[in-house]
């Protein structure tokens, strides 16, 4: 541990709580991806941001398809900001790769609000012995921002970054993390779940288990999220001034509530903190989000899909209203896309909205995830 202080990529080391030992890392990556080329210019003001949301949400249309003019290979050298945590006693046998969703950065997994009461990382590390690797997605937070929020900032280049980081953890080649892990589990939230899904659909042996939180493969409700966000140009919000014009962010906490919080399921003060720490989204991410999880995934590992009962973007506010007596929930339909998952489980968190980690129900969410892993050969100890 102490020797790693000399590594250039190493940013800081602190003992944060009773048991978790965490370090911040800045990891250089070199990635490329086949991105779409879209006939859509970067929105430059609130009216153009809203025009984009209206085009994306027209019923009977697929604006991604309608504005796709071709494909282009995008490549670059970037930096990823990450936080690696492990138990005081040393690294877990299993590391969890935590990919956050739209609207947040890696702090979604280790939220300091209310003395870390909402932290998934503390639960996983302190009580279950996992190592955790949470990173700011490429384009977000302290990772390199995109310079072209439409033709560069798409899910495909971010999946390439997730692949690069996973391979680095597998090979113990990430500067500052020398542990040799027996297994790697991928846990995503929302757009991070889409990336986790897309990564393993293309490369099913790269992961030893998947937890897709705040997720389904029903694209019918994405428009509620896109319209509900009430997007403006992100860099008109003082905290987001470092992003280039084209990134979008909700105009107020109202958009964050619509997208992430179910009625009576959250601490109102936390909503304000979530908004103040909120992160933007690119039009290119929004345009490529649904398509990336449209294909079947042959992964033959344990897969848990866990989504709040009142999730807006993935269930339209009611995951149990399927209109099909043999389909218990909308997320349960992912079974058909993951025919080899062993086992497959879909769990609906009662009363919760989309932002699972930030709702009063988070103990149910964390207990379900961590017990699922422990019961399916993916315990950390
Ligand atoms: C890592 O960086 C974040 C963001 O700057 C900071 O809040 C946190 O305290 C740092 N953690 C450690 C262990 O240094
Ligand atoms: C791009 O969009 C504009 C306006 O929506 C349209 O006039 C033009 O034909 C489109 N070009 C292509 C190549 O699709
Ligand atoms: C819309 O079109 C894109 C690009 O062809 C495709 O990947 C995506 O699956 C489509 N979305 C829906 C909901 O059909
Ligand atoms: C999405 O869910 C709704 C409500 O259960 C259902 O009517 C619709 O057929 C589903 N769409 C897809 C593509 O599964
Ligand atoms: C209802 O759900 C079952 C189980 O997922 C599925 O096999 C079947 O095709 C669905 N029926 C309809 C009409 O969508
Ligand atoms: C932590 O969160 C749980 C679940 O929301 C709640 O019941 C408990 O009171 C909280 N504890 C503290 C110390 O705030």
């Amino acid at each position: 541990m102490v020797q790693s202080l000399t590594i250039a990529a190493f940013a800081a080391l602190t003992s944060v709580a009773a048991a978790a030992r965490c370090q911040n890392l800045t990891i250089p990556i070199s990635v490329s991806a086949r991105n779409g080329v879209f006939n859509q210019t970067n929105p430059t003001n609130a009216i153009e941001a809203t025009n984009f949301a209206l085009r994306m949400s027209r019923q009977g249309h697929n604006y991604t398809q309608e504005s796709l003019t071709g494909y282009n290979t995008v490549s670059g050298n970037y930096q990823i900001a990450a936080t690696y945590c492990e138990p005081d006693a040393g690294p877990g046998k299993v590391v969890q790769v935590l990919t956050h969703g739209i609207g947040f950065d890696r702090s979604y997994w280790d939220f300091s609000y209310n003395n870390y009461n909402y932290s998934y990382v503390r639960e996983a590390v302190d009580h279950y012995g996992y190592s955790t690797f949470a990173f700011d997605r490429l384009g977000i937070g302290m990772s390199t921002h995109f310079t072209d929020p439409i033709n560069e900032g798409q899910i495909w280049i971010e999946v390439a970054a997730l692949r690069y980081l996973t391979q680095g953890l597998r090979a113990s080649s990430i500067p500052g993390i020398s542990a040799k892990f027996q297994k790697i589990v991928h846990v995503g939230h929302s757009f991070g779940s889409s990336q986790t899904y897309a990564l393993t659909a293309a490369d099913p042996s790269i992961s030893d288990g998947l937890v897709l939180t705040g997720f389904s493969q029903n694209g019918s409700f994405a428009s509620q999220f896109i319209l509900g966000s009430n997007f403006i140009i992100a860099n008109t919000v003082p905290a987001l001034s470092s992003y280039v014009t084209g990134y979008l962010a909700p105009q107020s906490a109202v958009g964050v509530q619509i997208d992430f919080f179910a009625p009576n399921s959250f601490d109102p003060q936390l909503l304000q903190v979530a908004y103040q720490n909120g992160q933007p989204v690119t039009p290119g991410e929004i345009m490529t989000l649904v398509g990336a999880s449209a294909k079947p995934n042959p992964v033959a590992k344990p897969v848990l899909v866990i989504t709040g009962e009142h999730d807006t973007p993935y269930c339209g506010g009611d995951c149990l209203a399927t209109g099909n007596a043999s389909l218990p929930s909308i997320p349960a339909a992912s079974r058909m896309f993951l025919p080899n998952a062993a086992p497959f489980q879909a769990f609906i968190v009662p009363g919760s909205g989309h932002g699972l980690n930030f709702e009063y129900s988070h103990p149910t969410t964390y207990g379900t995830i961590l017990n699922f892993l422990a019961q399916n050969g993916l315990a950390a100890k």
Side-chain angles (χ1 to χ4, degrees), residues 323-328 332-333 335-336:
N324 176 347
S326 40
L327 185 65
R335 179 68 179 124
M336 290 176 273

Side-chain angles (χ1 to χ4, degrees), residues 114 117 360 362-363:
N114 203 355
N117 186 31
Y360 290 139
H362 63 88

Side-chain angles (χ1 to χ4, degrees), residues 228-268:
S229 301
N230 203 353
F231 284 132
I232 56 172
I233 302 303
N235 64 20
T236 62
V237 178
L240 304 176
S241 61
S242 65
Y243 291 92
V244 298
T245 298
Y247 276 87
L248 308 173
Q251 188 187 20
S252 74
V254 175
V256 176
Q257 183 188 345
I258 291 170
D259 287 343
F260 296 101
F261 292 90
N264 300 321
S265 73
F266 64 98
D267 175 345

Side-chain angles (χ1 to χ4, degrees), residues 185-273:
V185 167
H186 289 84
V187 183
H189 174 241
S190 188
F191 188 47
S193 295
S194 300
Q195 297 192 13
T196 297
Y197 186 94
L199 171 73
T200 51
D203 191 352
S205 63
I206 199 168
S207 186
D208 296 299
L210 308 185
V211 179
L212 307 170
T213 80
F215 183 73
S216 81
Q217 281 160 280
N218 189 320
S220 309
F221 315 109
S223 59
Q224 297 187 10
F225 181 95
I226 294 167
L227 289 177
S229 301
N230 203 353
F231 284 132
I232 56 172
I233 302 303
N235 64 20
T236 62
V237 178
L240 304 176
S241 61
S242 65
Y243 291 92
V244 298
T245 298
Y247 276 87
L248 308 173
Q251 188 187 20
S252 74
V254 175
V256 176
Q257 183 188 345
I258 291 170
D259 287 343
F260 296 101
F261 292 90
N264 300 321
S265 73
F266 64 98
D267 175 345
Q269 192 111 39
L270 191 157
L271 169 61
Q272 298 307 320
V273 176

Side-chain angles (χ1 to χ4, degrees), residues 11-16 22-24 82-83 106 116 142:
L13 172 65
T14 318
S15 287
V16 275
C22 299
Q23 64 187 68
N24 281 339
T83 304
R106 69 192 191 277
Y116 291 95
M142 296 169 72

